[in-house]
Amino acid sequence: MRAVLCRQHGLPDSLGVEDIADPIPAKGEVLIAVKAAGVNFPDTLIIQNKYQFKPPLPFTPGGELAGVIEALGEGVTGLSLGQHVIAFTGWGAFAEKIAADAKRVLPMPEGMSFEIAASFVMTYGTSYHALKDRAALKAGETVLVLGAAGGVGLAAVEIAKALGARVIAAASNADKLAVCKAHGADDLIDYSKEDLRERIKAITAGQGVDVVYDPVGGKFSEPALRSMAWRGRFLVVGFANGEIPSIALNLTLLKGCSIVGVFWGDFTRREPGASAQDLTELMRLLAAAKLKPLVSETYPLDKVADALNAVMQRRVTGKIVLVP
Ligand SMILES: NC(=O)c1ccc[n+]([C@@H]2O[C@H](COP(=O)([O-])OP(=O)(O)OC[C@H]3O[C@@H](n4cnc5c(N)ncnc54)[C@H](OP(=O)(O)O)[C@@H]3O)[C@@H](O)[C@H]2O)c1
């Protein structure tokens, strides 16, 4: 089979596509023919050895996929040959086939395309866990989403809206903000041109925001924290900007607010029951058309570097996928 291989850590252009042996599913695994693989920001980190997970070299990147089951390993129950499934694997998905842990494989909902199925679970799973479980978001509250046109950001916009919140989307240009508006954002801030604090003050009539969803980090985190309402929750989701901000703790005292960490990957491992429940609820919102995931581009396997460079150069809206 053909697979993307990371032979030494580095930037996307150092990746190659090679012919390697088909994987054989071990006990508890299933062999899946990959029909589409979601491209996520963590894929750009894992190939540079900058992510929490550090697979031994050489390895195939790609954290999530959708495909068709081709073989069942020993002891696998509840899944069947030919079944269309979603899998979240951490790495290994940028290939024609993958042997995946059956515990991290779920049936694909009827009527869902492989492209949407391959790019839904990680971003929507993260944003639902963040907003529902970690922030306990209530209808009527106001949510500020930074990097709102990106993968987890746009999912957060849609989920916050579906949970009854007022959503302020912040992003770096007018095209990205137009996408946020089309996906339900009530108010828009172009943080490349506008002052974040002043705009939040104006939009919320001085009240501030109840929840900040921050997958970007860098220079916008502190002004966002300074713009929180009393008892607000600041969600630490990621640092796409590359800079992990240091925050003066007195700001939390003054606002009576919380800074809350979000780590969806560990949540799925430590609390599989709660994670499965979240995914069931998300599939229900999707079926009710309350969520409309955006796949803005697809790439063939040998354009993997172009796909990952698009993420690193801030050119992606919603999600992009690789189609082997
Ligand atoms: N905590 C968790 O469990 C979890 C789960 C999944 C992902 N994450 C993290 O969440 C972050 C976003 O992931 P994603 O998949 O949504 O990424 P994405 O689609 O690339 O979106 C990231 C957004 O960040 C903004 N950004 C600002 N500076 C950037 C830079 N130097 N490079 C790239 N983007 C930059 C961009 O928006 P503007 O151009 O509008 O500023 C971009 O749309 C990543 O740090 C990822 O590791 C965390």
Side-chain angles (χ1 to χ4, degrees):
M1 69 159 186
R2 293 171 75 241
V4 173
L5 273 196
C6 176
R7 288 200 169 274
Q8 78 268 326
H9 296 120
L11 291 167
D13 292 314
S14 65
L15 295 170
V17 178
E18 298 184 27
D19 275 312
I20 58 170
D22 284 9
I24 297 165
K27 189 173 177 185
E29 290 184 340
V30 293
L31 180 69
I32 303 171
V34 179
K35 298 296 179 192
V39 178
N40 290 287
F41 194 89
D43 302 323
T44 70
L45 300 176
I46 205 167
I47 60 169
Q48 299 180 72
N49 205 24
K50 289 183 179 171
Y51 198 52
Q52 289 100 331
F53 306 122
K54 301 185 187 297
L57 294 168
F59 72 94
T60 295
E64 61 177 344
L65 63 116
V68 180
I69 294 188
E70 279 199 346
L72 301 174
E74 189 192 328
V76 173
T77 54
L79 294 167
S80 54
L81 293 180
Q83 190 174 13
H84 292 194
V85 289
I86 297 172
F88 39 112
T89 56
W91 60 90
F94 294 168
E96 289 176 335
K97 297 182 187 198
I98 183 171
D101 181 350
K103 288 204 286 295
R104 301 177 75 74
V105 172
L106 53 134
M108 229 171 94
E110 199 127 324
M112 198 184 230
S113 71
F114 285 116
E115 286 81 3
I116 298 286
S119 57
F120 180 75
V121 169
M122 191 183 291
T123 47
Y124 282 82
T126 298
S127 295
Y128 198 60
H129 170 55
L131 292 167
K132 188 198 95 168
D133 303 328
R134 303 298 286 134
L137 178 66
K138 293 187 277 297
E141 289 191 315
T142 303
V143 179
L144 169 71
V145 181
L146 303 176
V152 295
L154 200 59
V157 167
E158 289 196 339
I159 289 166
K161 202 67 204 153
L163 295 176
R166 176 184 183 185
V167 180
I168 305 172
S172 64
N173 64 49
D175 291 344
K176 288 188 174 188
L177 289 168
V179 171
C180 298
K181 179 102 191 145
H183 285 256
D186 299 287
D187 300 280
L188 308 172
I189 303 177
D190 182 341
Y191 52 33
S192 70
K193 295 199 186 97
E194 299 176 298
D195 182 273
L196 193 60
R197 285 191 72 189
E198 288 305 321
R199 284 285 289 132
I200 294 169
K201 212 181 277 173
I203 290 167
T204 63
Q207 292 299 301
V209 292
D210 299 298
V211 174
V212 172
Y213 182 97
D214 182 8
V216 180
K219 66 180 181 185
F220 297 123
S221 303
E222 185 176 325
L225 182 65
R226 287 182 184 274
S227 305
M228 300 205 72
W230 180 249
R231 283 184 184 266
R233 289 85 74 205
F234 183 104
L235 296 164
V236 180
V237 180
F239 312 99
N241 169 272
E243 186 196 329
I244 299 176
S246 299
I247 296 285
L249 286 179
N250 65 315
L251 294 179
T252 62
L253 182 155
L254 296 172
K255 301 278 177 186
C257 73
S258 319
I259 297 177
V260 187
V262 177
F263 188 0
W264 177 75
D266 248 24
F267 166 66
T268 65
R269 274 176 287 277
R270 290 169 184 266
E271 303 179 49
S275 166
Q277 177 61 30
D278 277 6
L279 290 179
T280 303
E281 289 170 20
L282 279 171
M283 295 304 177
R284 225 176 273 143
L285 289 172
L286 189 65
K290 299 223 165 164
L291 306 176
K292 295 185 177 141
L294 170 65
V295 174
S296 54
E297 271 181 288
T298 62
Y299 292 75
L301 214 52
D302 51 15
K303 296 284 181 205
V304 61
D306 292 352
L308 292 173
N309 280 326
V311 172
M312 293 183 77
Q313 292 160 8
R314 297 167 79 167
R315 287 189 277 112
V316 176
T317 52
K319 292 297 301 276
I320 56 177
V321 299
L322 287 185
V323 179

